[in-house]
Coordinates of all heavy atoms in Angstrom, one line a residue:
C18 N 107.3 95.6 79.3 CA 107.8 95.8 80.7 C 109.3 96.3 80.8 O 109.7 96.8 81.9 CB 107.7 94.5 81.5 SG 108.5 93.1 80.7
V21 N 110.3 100.0 82.1 CA 109.8 100.5 83.4 C 110.6 99.8 84.5 O 110.4 100.2 85.7 CB 108.3 100.3 83.6 CG1 107.5 101.0 82.5 CG2 107.9 98.8 83.7
C22 N 111.4 98.8 84.2 CA 112.1 98.1 85.2 C 113.3 99.0 85.7 O 114.2 99.3 85.0 CB 112.7 96.8 84.7 SG 113.7 95.9 85.9
P23 N 113.3 99.3 87.1 CA 114.3 100.2 87.6 C 115.7 99.6 87.5 O 116.7 100.3 87.4 CB 113.9 100.4 89.0 CG 113.0 99.3 89.4 CD 112.3 98.9 88.1
I24 N 115.8 98.3 87.5 CA 117.1 97.7 87.4 C 117.7 97.8 86.0 O 118.8 98.1 85.8 CB 117.1 96.2 87.9 CG1 116.5 96.1 89.3 CG2 118.5 95.5 87.9 CD1 117.2 96.9 90.4
Y25 N 116.8 97.6 85.1 CA 117.2 97.7 83.7 C 117.5 99.2 83.4 O 118.5 99.5 82.8 CB 116.1 97.2 82.7 CG 116.5 97.5 81.3 CD1 117.5 96.8 80.6 CD2 115.8 98.5 80.5 CE1 117.8 97.1 79.3 CE2 116.1 98.8 79.2 CZ 117.2 98.1 78.6 OH 117.5 98.4 77.3
F33 N 119.2 92.1 82.7 CA 118.4 92.5 83.9 C 117.0 93.0 83.5 O 116.4 93.8 84.3 CB 119.2 93.5 84.7 CG 120.5 93.0 85.3 CD1 121.5 93.9 85.6 CD2 120.6 91.7 85.5 CE1 122.7 93.5 86.1 CE2 121.9 91.2 86.1 CZ 122.9 92.1 86.3
T34 N 116.4 92.5 82.4 CA 115.0 92.8 82.1 C 114.1 91.8 82.8 O 114.5 90.7 83.1 CB 114.8 92.8 80.6 OG1 115.0 91.5 80.2 CG2 115.7 93.8 79.9
P35 N 112.8 92.2 83.0 CA 111.9 91.2 83.5 C 111.8 90.0 82.6 O 111.7 88.9 83.2 CB 110.5 92.0 83.4 CG 110.9 93.5 83.5 CD 112.2 93.5 82.8
R38 N 114.5 87.6 83.6 CA 114.2 87.0 84.9 C 113.2 85.8 84.7 O 113.3 84.8 85.3 CB 113.6 88.0 85.9 CG 114.5 89.1 86.3 CD 113.9 90.0 87.3 NE 114.5 91.3 87.3 CZ 115.7 91.6 87.7 NH1 116.5 90.7 88.2 NH2 116.2 92.8 87.6
N60 N 118.5 90.3 92.3 CA 118.7 91.8 92.1 C 117.4 92.4 91.6 O 117.4 93.5 91.1 CB 119.9 92.1 91.3 CG 119.7 91.9 89.8 OD1 118.6 91.6 89.3 ND2 120.7 92.1 89.0
C61 N 116.3 91.8 91.9 CA 115.0 92.4 91.6 C 114.4 92.7 93.0 O 114.2 91.9 93.9 CB 114.1 91.3 91.0 SG 112.3 91.7 91.0
P62 N 114.1 94.0 93.2 CA 113.5 94.5 94.4 C 112.0 94.2 94.5 O 111.3 94.6 95.5 CB 113.7 96.0 94.4 CG 113.9 96.4 93.0 CD 114.4 95.2 92.3
E63 N 111.5 93.4 93.6 CA 110.0 93.0 93.6 C 109.1 94.3 93.7 O 108.1 94.3 94.4 CB 109.7 92.0 94.7 CG 110.5 90.7 94.5 CD 110.1 89.7 95.5 OE1 109.2 89.8 96.2 OE2 110.9 88.6 95.5
C64 N 109.5 95.3 92.9 CA 108.8 96.5 93.0 C 107.4 96.5 92.3 O 106.5 97.2 92.6 CB 109.6 97.7 92.3 SG 109.8 97.5 90.5
G65 N 107.3 95.6 91.3 CA 106.0 95.4 90.7 C 105.7 96.3 89.5 O 104.5 96.3 89.0
R66 N 106.6 97.2 89.2 CA 106.3 98.1 88.1 C 106.0 97.4 86.8 O 105.1 97.8 86.0 CB 107.5 99.1 87.9 CG 107.4 100.3 88.9 CD 108.8 101.0 88.9 NE 109.1 101.6 87.6 CZ 108.8 102.9 87.2 NH1 108.1 103.6 88.0 NH2 109.1 103.3 86.0
C67 N 106.7 96.3 86.6 CA 106.5 95.5 85.3 C 105.1 95.0 85.2 O 104.5 95.0 84.2 CB 107.5 94.4 85.3 SG 107.7 93.4 86.8
E68 N 104.6 94.6 86.4 CA 103.2 94.0 86.4 C 102.1 95.1 86.0 O 101.1 94.7 85.5 CB 102.9 93.4 87.8 CG 103.8 92.2 88.1 CD 103.7 91.7 89.5 OE1 102.9 92.2 90.2 OE2 104.4 90.7 89.7
I77 N 105.0 88.7 87.6 CA 106.5 88.5 87.6 C 107.0 88.4 89.0 O 107.9 87.6 89.3 CB 107.1 89.7 86.8 CG1 106.6 89.6 85.4 CG2 108.6 89.6 86.8 CD1 106.4 90.9 84.7
T78 N 106.5 89.2 90.0 CA 107.1 89.2 91.3 C 106.7 87.8 92.0 O 107.5 87.3 92.8 CB 106.6 90.3 92.2 OG1 105.1 90.3 92.2 CG2 107.0 91.7 91.7
V81 N 109.3 85.4 90.7 CA 110.6 85.6 91.3 C 110.5 85.1 92.8 O 111.5 84.4 93.2 CB 111.0 87.1 91.3 CG1 112.2 87.4 92.2 CG2 111.3 87.6 89.9
Ligands
SF4_401 S1 109.6 93.7 89.9 FE1 110.6 95.7 89.5 S2 112.8 95.2 89.5 FE2 111.7 93.2 89.4 S3 111.6 92.8 87.2 FE3 109.7 93.9 87.7 S4 110.1 96.0 87.3 FE4 112.1 94.9 87.3

Side-chain angles (χ1 to χ4, degrees):
C18 55
V21 301
C22 174
I24 304 302
Y25 175 71
F33 296 152
T34 62
R38 293 186 205 289
N60 77 5
C61 163
E63 297 184 12
C64 69
R66 277 167 61 92
C67 47
E68 294 176 359
I77 299 144
T78 57
V81 169

